[in-house]
Amino acid sequence: MIKRIGILTSGGDAPGMNAAIRAAVRTAIAADVEIYGIRDGYLGLHQDRISRMNTLDVTNIIGRGGSILGSARFRAFEEESVRREAIENLRKREIDSLVVIGGDGSYTGALRLTEMGFPCIGVPGTIDNDVHGTDFSIGFDTALNTIVECIDRLRDTSNSHKRVNIVEVMGRHCGDLCVSAAIAGGADFAIVPEQPFDSAALFRSISQAFAAGKRHGIVALCENITNAELLANDIEGNTGIECRATVLGHIQRGGVPSAQDRILGSRLGELAVKLLIDGIGGQCVGIVNGELTHNGIAESIKSLPRKFDAKLAALPLRLA
Ligand code: F6P
């Protein structure tokens, strides 16, 4: 019987993580289970920065971006000795299970802890939407809306100056954010890691669009493929049309969570705690076709990263 649960957020923060924390805390307390917040992810777990949470700690947080617990990337957690010390910090408080909100790296940590006899539940929290076992991760919807707003702004100035604007978005190695933003932002071209980048097709499509009288062009570029500034130079060189590059960077990771992310975070946070209370660990929760679900963490991190929705890929080009 689970008595005390720990909770942490790890890796890149994502809007909606606070909704998940709030739901987890409230669900635990309603079930008479103590819950402990761990600062700054696995780093704080190793450094023993852990304190009990009550409902007042999670009041007025549902509309806040980031994570009230703080987050970190902590490579040393790959070492078994470091994990053993972290488990010791939990055991001495009689904390017997852990909710980990984060992306693939955080899931790996949760799996290792579970393998060492410490049950964990993973909750998908990353703007990249690159986690298996769920159609959507917490933060994706908010980041997407932020990016689309930025594209709308870029299109205004692009149109005034008769230019092409490249907008580089995050996603690490998953094109979901990029291709979704390209469609919702009316971009002319999307460059994603899942597909080979055909620069000749890009130059051709821009030249044809401007020759037909178009006054602006938007190219959505997923990070880690090519340098946005160099690509802007190439576009200018090959089309004769002025081009500017904007790297959105961490702007797209902050801000007020969308209603979707608040709801998703709340549902997944609640489910995570319920599973632990039912004695189920080593799972990650998700939403598939609108239904809450859970799968083994080991399964979900077997083939990383989750790929984008291929059905969407050709749409920006077709609609350009
Ligand atoms: O994992 C989320 C993410 O925002 C990725 O999209 C991006 O590549 C990375 O984190 C950036 O990491 P950091 O915040 O450590 O610079």
Side-chain angles (χ1 to χ4, degrees):
M1 174 66 189
I2 292 289
K3 286 233 167 49
R4 295 181 178 178
I5 294 175
I7 183 165
L8 60 80
T9 51
S10 160
D13 64 349
M17 281 182 161
N18 286 332
I21 296 168
R22 175 178 177 272
V25 168
R26 292 168 68 104
T27 305
I29 290 171
D32 273 334
V33 171
E34 291 181 15
I35 185 156
Y36 288 73
I38 297 151
R39 302 280 157 189
D40 300 334
Y42 293 121
L43 173 70
L45 178 56
H46 186 243
Q47 293 174 340
D48 203 19
R49 291 188 281 123
I50 303 171
S51 53
R52 190 168 167 189
M53 296 181 84
N54 60 47
T55 45
L56 275 185
D57 293 316
V58 294
T59 190
N60 200 15
I61 68 166
I62 198 155
R64 282 167 58 186
S67 163
I68 60 155
L69 290 174
S71 194
R73 300 190 194 278
F74 182 49
R75 295 301 299 265
F77 208 67
E78 287 166 17
E79 291 164 36
E80 192 178 336
S81 58
V82 171
R83 293 198 298 276
R84 217 174 297 118
E85 285 161 7
I87 290 177
E88 188 46 40
N89 291 335
L90 293 165
R91 294 244 191 258
K92 73 185 178 198
R93 290 181 178 81
E94 294 180 31
I95 298 172
D96 36 30
S97 58
L98 187 64
V99 174
V100 172
I101 308 171
D104 45 22
S106 316
Y107 275 20
T108 305
L111 176 64
R112 298 285 168 263
L113 291 178
T114 304
E115 287 166 350
M116 291 166 78
F118 200 91
C120 297
I121 296 286
V123 177
T126 166
I127 66 165
D128 297 342
N129 211 30
D130 61 349
V131 179
H132 290 277
T134 189
D135 289 344
F136 298 105
S137 54
I138 300 164
F140 172 72
D141 182 68
T142 308
L144 176 56
N145 280 291
T146 304
I147 296 165
V148 171
E149 189 193 326
C150 292
I151 291 179
D152 286 344
R153 289 168 189 251
L154 286 171
R155 196 185 312 98
D156 289 345
T157 172
S158 184
N159 198 67
S160 302
H161 288 266
K162 228 177 164 193
R163 281 175 181 155
V164 172
N165 275 76
I166 299 169
V167 55
E168 184 189 292
V169 305
M170 284 184 170
R172 202 184 289 259
H173 304 295
C174 174
D176 248 16
L177 256 187
C178 183
V179 81
S180 304
I183 293 166
D188 305 79
F189 209 92
I191 303 169
V192 289
E194 292 88 348
Q195 289 180 326
F197 169 35
D198 182 350
S199 57
L202 170 65
F203 304 145
R204 207 168 40 244
S205 115
I206 290 171
S207 300
Q208 282 169 357
F210 276 71
K214 207 169 169 188
R215 287 187 58 91
H216 69 266
I218 299 288
V219 177
L221 167 67
C222 185
E223 65 177 343
N224 299 322
I225 296 178
T226 186
N227 180 287
E229 289 290 346
L230 295 180
L231 180 60
N233 288 341
D234 276 356
I235 289 174
E236 285 197 358
N238 283 277
T239 65
I241 298 160
E242 254 194 311
C243 185
R244 296 285 189 270
T246 302
V247 177
L248 290 183
H250 292 78
I251 280 280
Q252 67 204 290
R253 223 165 68 184
V256 170
S258 67
Q260 285 292 353
D261 277 329
R262 296 181 199 195
I263 294 168
L264 183 63
S266 300
R267 294 182 76 190
L268 296 181
E270 180 190 37
L271 176 61
V273 166
K274 281 188 167 164
L275 288 175
L276 289 174
I277 290 173
D278 287 347
I280 299 169
Q283 300 277 298
C284 50
V285 295
I287 190 158
V288 175
N289 296 329
E291 300 287 338
L292 293 183
T293 177
H294 55 91
N295 301 288
I297 301 178
E299 284 305 302
S300 79
I301 57 176
K302 236 190 236 162
S303 52
L304 285 174
R306 173 187 179 277
K307 298 291 182 201
F308 75 155
D309 185 347
K311 290 191 293 300
L312 300 180
L315 210 54
L317 262 181
R318 282 211 304 274
L319 299 182

